[in-house]
Amino acid sequence: QITLKESGPPLVKPTQTLTLTCTFSGFSLSTNGVGVGWIRQPPGKALEWLALIYWHDDTRYSPYLKNRLSVTKDTSKNRVVLTMTHLDPVDTATYYCAHTNLGVTNHAFDVWGQGTVVTVSS
Amino acid sequence: EVVLTQSPATLSLSPGERATLSCGASQSISSDYLAWYQQKPGLAPRLLIYDASSRAPGIPARFRGSGSGTDFTLIISRLEPEDFAVYYCLQYDTPALTFGGGTKVEIK
């Protein structure tokens, strides 16, 4: 059974850097085709894709946030870390990580974490 | 980037009725790389359909996806009480993935 869980600070001040961790089980990020993505959702608004990292270290970023985002993986600890710099109140959202497997659902995210709420405020 | 426009924004229907949700793309999506998700309040999205028409494991047959190119449709043949939720489409054809703005299916 695949599970993912996001963790990180619930409150961040403007201009600070946010670091979120996705800890997962039931799959390995060293397996061909596997990837983990990050998606966020501001309160009452639509989903927004942020980033994606694959088993072979290929990474993709939202063009709007590319300069502020970094995603890395620690295969031995089954973790993926998302870093976002220069936080602003508009970055207040629920942040999700999700699993994908190119050999099953292509890039569609088939299993999601429960999400973690991040508020940006001074 | 590919912009996805979902319509209508809100769909008011009764249980047992048929729901038709649309997702239009600003440019053609090759290989039908489009997915549909259902989201209920306070919960993470759930994958319903991938590759435009393939049902994810465990998804009831009343959910059907179709379409190609720039026009995609999600049909719920007979609404069950648990189907009232927000639905999003996602395209994964281009390196930059994008979601639509969502359609809320509410009880009439």
Side-chain angles (χ1 to χ4, degrees), chain A residues 43-121:
Chain A
K45 296 188 177 181
L47 300 165
E48 179 185 16
W49 171 73
L50 301 177
L52 184 50
I53 186 165
Y54 287 105
W55 80 101
H56 54 341
D57 286 319
D58 180 29
T59 55
R60 301 183 181 186
Y61 297 100
S62 164
Y64 300 107
L65 297 167
K66 184 176 183 178
N67 293 335
R68 299 173 53 205
L69 294 175
S70 174
V71 61
T72 59
K73 63 181 178 67
D74 185 334
T75 304
S76 64
K77 294 184 178 179
N78 283 352
R79 290 179 187 171
V80 171
V81 175
L82 177 74
T83 303
M84 179 182 292
T85 61
H86 303 105
L87 270 284
D88 183 272
V90 299
D91 297 313
T92 294
T94 298
Y95 286 76
Y96 298 98
C97 62
H99 167 272
T100 184
N101 188 327
L102 296 182
V104 178
T105 59
N106 289 305
H107 301 283
F109 302 112
D110 56 353
V111 183
W112 295 55
Q114 64 189 24
T116 187
V117 176
V118 177
T119 300
V120 182
S121 175

Side-chain angles (χ1 to χ4, degrees), chain A residues 41 49 60 64 104 106 109 113, chain B residues 1 37 39 44 51 88 95 97:
Chain A
Q41 185 172 38
W49 171 73
R60 301 183 181 186
Y64 300 107
V104 178
N106 289 305
F109 302 112
Chain B
E1 89 172 7
Y37 293 86
Q39 188 179 33
D51 293 354
Y88 293 96
L97 284 64

Side-chain angles (χ1 to χ4, degrees), chain B residues 5 21 91:
Chain B
T5 301
L21 288 68
Q91 71 79 24

